[in-house]
Amino acid sequence: MSRRPTAVVIGAGVTGLAAAFALADSEGARVVVLDSSWRAGGKIATEPFAGVPLDLGPDSFLARVPHAVDLCGRLGLGDELIAPATGKAWLWVRGRLRPLPEGLVLGVPSNLAAVARSGILSPAGVARAALDLVLPRPAAEGDRSVGDVVAGRFGAEVHRRLVDPLLGGIHAGRSELLSVAATAPQLDAAARRGRSLLLALRRAAPPPTPGGAVPPVFLSHPAGLERVVDALTGRLAAAGVELALGEAATSVERGAGPGWAVRTDRRRIDADAVIVCVPAPATAGLLDGVAPRAGAFARSVEHSSVVVTALAYRASDVPARLDGSGFLVPRTEGRLLTAGTWTSSKWPHLAPAGLVLVRASAGRYGDERALQLDDTELVGALHAELAEAMGLSGPPVEHRVTRWPGAFPQYTVGHLDRVAAAEAELAGLPGLEAAGAAFRGLGIPACIAQGEAAAARALDHLRSLAPTR
Ligand SMILES: Cc1cc2nc3c(=O)[nH]c(=O)nc-3n(C[C@H](O)[C@H](O)[C@H](O)COP(=O)(O)OP(=O)(O)OC[C@H]3O[C@@H](n4cnc5c(N)ncnc54)[C@H](O)[C@@H]3O)c2cc1C
C-alpha cells in the first residue's frame, strides 16, 4: 500500500483540535480535520462586543485539573492566562441578592453556620440541613441522581436553592436527573465515605496553601478563549495538518482492508484512524453503520438549550460597584434568568469606558422559554429581571443574543455505564474513536483530555500498522 497512514478527525471543536494537535506529533502520518462550520472552535467563540473581545460561549476553564492549563502551556499561552478578579458570587433568592456562603462544594455545604447566616435557607431549611450530621448512612448502591443524594442528606432547600443552581447551572440541567457519579464524582465519593456528607466534604477539602495564596480555580485568556483555538489551528497548519472547514462528514464506513472510509459532502477519504468529535446527534448519524451500540448511546443522550445575552449598560445606570462575578438564580424562583455574569467585574479588562457589561444566561433542561422569544422580547424580559435584581436605572445601550440550541448533553443517572458500553464496542473496532462533550465531561479540560486520549489510542493503532506497510 502506497498511501501514507492517515488519520481523520471529524469536528474542530476543542475536543477535535486537541486530538489533532496530539496526532500532529506523529511521525509521517497524514492528519485531516473536518468541520461542517466555516470556523474552528465549535462552542468556543469570541466576538467583538462594545469594543472588547467577548466570549459568547465558555468564558473560562477549570484550572484545578491539568489538561487545559497544560495545553495552553504547550501552545506558548501559559504566561498570558488570567484569573477572574473576584471569586465572590451571589444568589437571587427570597427577594434579593444574597452572597453565596463560604465552604460550598458544588453547592453542598461544608459549613452550616455560614449557610445559616446567608439567609438563603429558611430557618426550617437550616434545621433540616443539620440532620445530615445525624441521619444514618444510606446503603451503598449504584448510581443515583445528585438531587437524591443531596436532598436525602440535607433536605429539599439545600437541594433546590444551592445545589441545583450551581451544579444544574454547569450542565444547564436538573440536578434531580443528573448522575452523581458523572457530574459530581467528589460528592459521590464523599457520600460513600462517611455518614455525614458535610463532614466527609470538610475532610476532603484541600489543605490551606503555604502563605495563604489560593491558586485560581478558573483561567481564561484576555483576548478571549478563541485565542486558544487560533493558537491550535496555527500550530496544526505549521505541522501540515489539513484543516478542512465548511466540509461536513456524512458517513464513516468500513474501507478496503482493515481501514475506514470517511465520506464528506464532496469526497471520500480513506483512513486508518478516525476520531469522531462532533455533538452527540451527529455522532449517532456517523457511527450507526459501523458501531451501532455507540451510535445508539449517542442518540440516547438528551440535551438542553441555553441563550447567552450580552448587555452593555451605561455605568451611570448601574447603582453600586458590582462586588463579585455575578449571581445565580434557583429554578424555584420561576425566573427566565438562570445567571447574570458581571463580566466587567469578573474580567476588569472587559470594561469599556463608561460601560458595564453583563452576560445574562437563560434556558435549562425542560425550560425552552428563552429560545422561543425573539431577540427584542428576550432582551426586554432579561433586562426587566436584571433591573429588579441589580437595581439598574436604564436600559442596555447594546446587546447581542447568542442561541445555543441542544448545547448541553445531560448526564442522567447511569450515564457512565452507558458510556462504558459504547466504548467497549469501539475498543473492538481498532482505529475508530469517539470523544467529546457527550461522553466523559463537557468542560473544556475534560474535552481536551478526551481528545488527547483518543489520539493516543489512534496513534498506537497507526504504529501497530507500520511494519506491515
Ligand atoms: C454557553 C456555553 C457556556 C459554556 N461555558 C463553559 C465554561 O465556562 N467552561 C467550560 O469549561 N465549558 C463551558 N461550556 C462547555 C464547553 O464549551 C463545551 O462542552 C466544549 O467546548 C465542547 O467541545 P467539543 O469539541 O466536544 O464540541 P463542539 O464545540 O460542539 O465542537 C463540535 C464541532 O463539530 C462540528 N460538526 C458537527 N457535525 C459535523 C459533521 N457532520 N462533520 C464535521 N464537523 C461537524 C461542529 O461544527 C463543531 O465545530 C459551555 C458551553 C456553552 C454552550
Side-chain angles (χ1 to χ4, degrees):
M1 193 192 292
S2 58
R3 170 169 67 74
R4 269 164 78 198
T6 299
V8 176
V9 176
I10 307 178
V14 72
T15 308
L17 292 175
F21 190 47
L23 288 170
D25 286 343
S26 63
E27 324 76 39
R30 174 187 178 212
V31 181
V32 182
V33 183
L34 301 169
D35 200 293
S36 51
S37 164
W38 287 102
R39 53 171 290 279
K43 300 202 169 62
I44 298 179
T46 310
E47 299 230 340
F49 175 75
V52 296
L54 191 75
D55 278 314
L56 308 177
D59 75 344
S60 57
F61 54 75
L62 200 56
R64 288 193 174 163
V65 289
H67 318 286
V69 179
D70 286 356
L71 179 64
C72 288
R74 276 178 277 132
L75 292 170
L77 300 176
D79 293 340
E80 298 173 20
L81 299 178
I82 51 170
T86 166
K88 186 169 179 182
W90 301 73
L91 208 60
W92 191 22
V93 67
R94 303 179 76 202
R96 63 182 174 88
L97 292 180
R98 298 169 190 272
L100 274 180
E102 64 188 47
L104 295 181
V105 181
L106 290 172
V108 179
S110 66
N111 179 343
L112 268 188
V115 172
R117 278 195 304 273
S118 72
I120 289 168
L121 305 189
S122 69
V126 175
R128 172 61 187 86
L131 287 183
D132 167 69
L133 298 166
V134 293
L135 283 174
R137 176 182 175 174
E141 317 152 17
D143 194 14
R144 291 196 291 157
S145 80
V146 174
D148 264 6
V149 171
V150 173
R153 297 302 315 171
F154 293 96
E157 286 195 17
V158 167
H159 165 221
R160 294 201 188 125
R161 293 186 191 169
L162 286 169
V163 175
D164 195 62
L166 262 96
L167 191 103
I170 295 169
H171 296 266
R174 302 168 75 104
S175 59
E176 63 270 30
L177 303 175
L178 294 174
S179 150
V180 69
T183 65
Q186 64 274 58
L187 222 59
D188 192 28
R192 290 171 192 280
R193 223 172 5 246
R195 188 176 63 182
S196 158
L197 192 48
L198 182 147
L199 294 177
L201 287 174
R202 208 181 269 177
R203 275 194 295 271
T209 41
V214 182
V217 180
F218 294 101
L219 286 170
S220 190
H221 192 281
L225 284 180
E226 210 171 304
R227 177 72 188 86
V228 180
V229 172
D230 292 343
L232 272 165
T233 53
R235 291 285 285 270
L236 293 180
V241 171
E242 299 164 42
L243 178 58
L245 298 178
E247 183 170 358
T250 52
S251 71
V252 178
E253 298 161 13
R254 286 201 173 273
W260 305 96
V262 177
R263 286 187 194 278
T264 77
D265 39 15
R266 70 193 67 148
R267 60 179 161 158
R268 169 191 159 123
I269 309 171
D270 290 307
D272 305 285
V274 177
I275 308 182
V276 179
C277 306
V278 297
T283 303
L286 292 172
L287 291 185
D288 272 343
V290 281
R293 286 184 71 181
F297 157 73
R299 184 161 288 112
S300 74
V301 177
E302 292 197 56
H303 289 74
S304 60
S305 304
V306 304
V307 182
V308 175
T309 304
L311 301 139
Y313 288 97
R314 277 186 205 91
S316 53
D317 289 334
V318 182
R321 190 173 71 91
L322 299 173
D323 176 23
S325 60
F327 64 93
L328 296 165
V329 191
R331 197 171 4 128
T332 44
E333 302 293 301
R335 304 287 185 168
L336 196 58
L337 268 175
T338 54
T341 305
W342 297 335
T343 302
S344 302
S345 310
K346 183 176 178 185
W347 308 110
H349 67 287
L350 300 181
L355 295 177
V356 169
L357 303 192
V358 177
R359 246 178 60 139
S361 302
R364 44 163 70 97
Y365 186 74
D367 178 3
E368 302 244 321
R369 286 174 297 161
L371 233 64
Q372 285 148 14
L373 299 176
D374 67 30
D375 284 9
T376 311
E377 294 167 330
L378 180 69
V379 170
L382 292 173
H383 166 66
E385 292 191 2
L386 288 169
E388 188 182 337
M390 298 164 59
L392 303 169
S393 55
V397 293
E398 217 176 306
H399 68 258
R400 177 191 291 255
V401 176
T402 310
R403 290 160 202 277
W404 294 103
F408 285 83
Q410 300 297 299
Y411 295 178
T412 53
V413 174
H415 178 83
L416 292 180
D417 288 342
R418 296 189 290 276
V419 172
E423 288 173 345
E425 182 187 40
L426 291 169
L429 298 167
L432 183 61
E433 304 287 341
F439 286 80
R440 291 190 179 271
L442 54 80
I444 289 170
C447 288
I448 291 169
Q450 293 178 71
E452 290 175 347
R457 291 190 296 269
L459 277 175
D460 282 348
H461 177 63
L462 293 181
R463 287 192 193 106
S464 76
L465 298 175
T468 63
R469 283 178 185 286

